[in-house]
Amino acid sequence: MLYPSPPRHWFYCLALALLALPVSAWGRENLLAGSLALRQEYDSNVNLSADQPSSAWYSVLAPGLDLTSRGRTDLLQLRYNLGIRYNHSSGGDTLDHDFLLRGESELSPRWRAEISNRFYLSDDSDFAGEPIPEVDPELSAGRERERFRLNTFAFSSDYRFGPRGTMGLGYENRILRHQSGTRDDYTRHHPSLNLGYRFNRQWSAEAGYGYIKGDFDRGDDLETHDLSLGLNYQATSRDQLSLGYGFNDTAYQGLTPDYRLHSFSSGWDRRFSPHANLVARVGLVKVDRASGADGSFFSFALDLNRQLQRGSLSIGGRGGIDELQFAGGDEGDLSRYQQVQAAGRYQLRQGLAGELDLSLRRNEFIDRPGPNREWIYQAGCGLSYDLSRNYRLATRYRYKELDAEGGDDYRDHRLLLELRMVHDLMKW
């Protein structure tokens, strides 16, 4: 069985980690932890088919290592998880890899930098049943189980100049490759610059610029220039008002029509207490498309978060225009969408915790002729029980449904049962 080799960023970061790893005599704290998980997974619709769904049972043995080295002004983390997966339905086995290398440092009282690299190889964006943010669990609702590798390299640096100014530099490189070659692969470069300045206790402003270059194996390559401007007003100790403007200019090297986005927004941030806050945004997005498919669309964002005595609760929603060039699916470039979601976690008793999440999203692909709407329903719940300090038993259930005009509908039920052990191996 052959597996694609990780990109060169992986080796660069590993070399930096080995060179930077200090000895204990330098006053550092180093911890090496090991984990081992045994899982049973069930997927009711592996091929995401409406008429002929194919189910599968998996047994997974997942060992992992986590090395953390912490100094007075810096942190280095190296984590690797291996998934040895056996498919009882087909009789085949695969290896899943999840590798993370992250380092951060305060180079001076005013200057902070962070670097990270995430390499992921699997047929699923949920590793051990939990979405990984760096892997984009929302890659595409129409993706079947298909082996892919995704490498994300990121660097950021924040500098405070004077008593009121900040400057941030960043760069992200993402490489998506599919093993079977049925979907479009890409390499994405994204450098960015952000500036912020506080005029006084009430007024502050911010500006940002980002450049995106996308190299696709099949589709048209693209270049994006993204500019954002913002003005904030601290009305009270708990209330902040804001105005924002964004400009996006995306040009393709091919037949795909170029477009420009003008975004206007106003916002209100409210902190009700140390345990509850609200973030609200409303605005307008104007689409200027070279093909003539222009339009103006309402946009909004709402997030309410509440920390409970024994848990947490969040409710929110958002809508507007979403860009889907890097979703790894067959969608159009631009989607007019609305989405609502809710999530909660509660400590039922000592050692026993439950969680629940719900979401609904509606997409309208403005570049797609004919039927162009779809609805995505998702729900999940789970229970985890700490058998002891080092052992945890967990079960999770997830439901996903795609209802699309013109076909490609499906329903998928997924169930996971896991026994996980985590133990500190060495500390020096």
Side-chain angles (χ1 to χ4, degrees), residues 302-315:
L302 180 69
D303 291 294
L304 176 61
N305 299 286
R306 169 72 177 177
Q307 291 293 326
L308 308 175
Q309 184 176 3
R310 299 173 61 180
S312 62
L313 177 66
S314 64
I315 302 174

Side-chain angles (χ1 to χ4, degrees), residues 37-59:
L38 299 173
R39 297 198 305 274
Q40 292 293 321
E41 300 178 6
Y42 171 74
D43 191 338
S44 69
N45 196 350
V46 177
N47 56 348
L48 303 184
S49 172
D51 302 324
Q52 297 178 334
S54 176
S55 62
W57 277 98
Y58 302 91
S59 293

Side-chain angles (χ1 to χ4, degrees), residues 157-369:
S157 177
D158 299 313
Y159 180 75
R160 290 187 295 110
F161 58 92
R164 300 177 178 178
T166 60
M167 179 178 68
L169 290 171
Y171 171 75
E172 183 186 73
N173 173 264
R174 299 169 65 82
I175 302 174
L176 176 66
R177 297 290 185 268
H178 297 88
Q179 187 167 330
S180 60
T182 60
R183 294 188 181 273
D184 198 2
D185 300 333
Y186 67 76
T187 300
R188 181 176 185 264
H189 305 272
H190 183 202
S192 61
L193 170 66
N194 295 282
L195 299 173
Y197 190 79
R198 177 167 293 278
F199 301 100
N200 51 46
R201 291 185 177 180
Q202 291 182 307
W203 291 97
S204 64
E206 54 197 21
Y209 169 76
Y211 171 77
I212 298 176
K213 180 175 176 56
D215 296 324
F216 294 85
D217 287 358
R218 299 181 183 179
D220 295 335
D221 297 341
L222 65 85
E223 289 187 350
T224 296
H225 299 273
D226 194 1
L227 174 67
S228 62
L229 301 172
L231 182 64
N232 305 312
Y233 175 67
Q234 194 71 38
T236 70
S237 59
R238 296 187 176 185
D239 297 276
Q240 178 177 280
L241 306 178
S242 62
L243 292 174
Y245 169 73
F247 174 72
N248 179 306
D249 185 2
T250 298
Y252 289 88
Q253 300 176 8
L255 300 178
T256 304
D258 304 340
Y259 65 84
R260 292 181 176 180
L261 303 178
H262 299 269
S263 304
F264 306 88
S265 66
S266 60
W268 174 41
D269 294 15
R270 168 71 174 179
R271 180 166 291 278
F272 298 101
S273 70
H275 308 290
N277 70 287
L278 171 70
V279 178
R281 300 283 187 274
V282 293
L284 184 72
V285 181
K286 186 179 184 303
V287 180
D288 181 9
R289 191 92 189 195
S291 62
D294 302 341
S296 298
F297 305 93
F298 173 73
S299 66
F300 70 94
L302 180 69
D303 291 294
L304 176 61
N305 299 286
R306 169 72 177 177
Q307 291 293 326
L308 308 175
Q309 184 176 3
R310 299 173 61 180
S312 62
L313 177 66
S314 64
I315 302 174
R318 58 196 66 248
I321 296 295
D322 200 1
E323 300 173 271
L324 302 173
Q325 299 97 330
F326 299 97
D330 299 324
E331 298 88 350
D333 292 340
L334 296 177
S335 165
R336 180 187 181 186
Y337 79 101
Q338 298 86 34
Q339 178 175 330
V340 293
Q341 69 274 338
R345 180 178 175 84
Y346 194 74
Q347 196 75 28
L348 301 172
R349 51 170 294 183
Q350 184 175 358
L352 179 63
E355 56 187 28
L356 175 68
D357 63 90
L358 305 167
S359 72
L360 166 63
R361 178 177 172 119
R362 176 184 180 272
N363 286 317
E364 181 180 350
F365 304 106
I366 62 178
D367 299 314
R368 181 183 299 177

Side-chain angles (χ1 to χ4, degrees), residues 115-137:
I115 187 171
S116 67
N117 194 89
R118 189 72 175 262
F119 174 76
Y120 186 82
L121 172 61
S122 180
D123 64 357
D124 191 8
S125 58
D126 288 4
F127 195 93
E130 295 181 350
I132 300 175
E134 293 87 346
V135 182
D136 280 346

Side-chain angles (χ1 to χ4, degrees), residues 47-108:
N47 56 348
L48 303 184
S49 172
D51 302 324
Q52 297 178 334
S54 176
S55 62
W57 277 98
Y58 302 91
S59 293
V60 184
L61 176 66
L65 288 174
D66 191 337
L67 173 63
T68 304
S69 179
R70 188 184 303 274
R72 186 173 57 87
T73 59
D74 61 271
L75 171 70
L76 178 66
Q77 182 183 18
L78 176 66
R79 186 172 69 220
Y80 174 70
N81 290 300
L82 173 66
I84 307 171
R85 180 186 301 269
Y86 180 75
N87 189 332
H88 293 276
S89 302
S90 65
D93 62 275
T94 57
L95 296 179
D96 297 341
H97 303 271
D98 177 23
F99 175 82
L100 172 66
L101 177 60
R102 184 175 68 90
E104 59 182 56
S105 176
E106 293 183 9
L107 303 175
S108 74

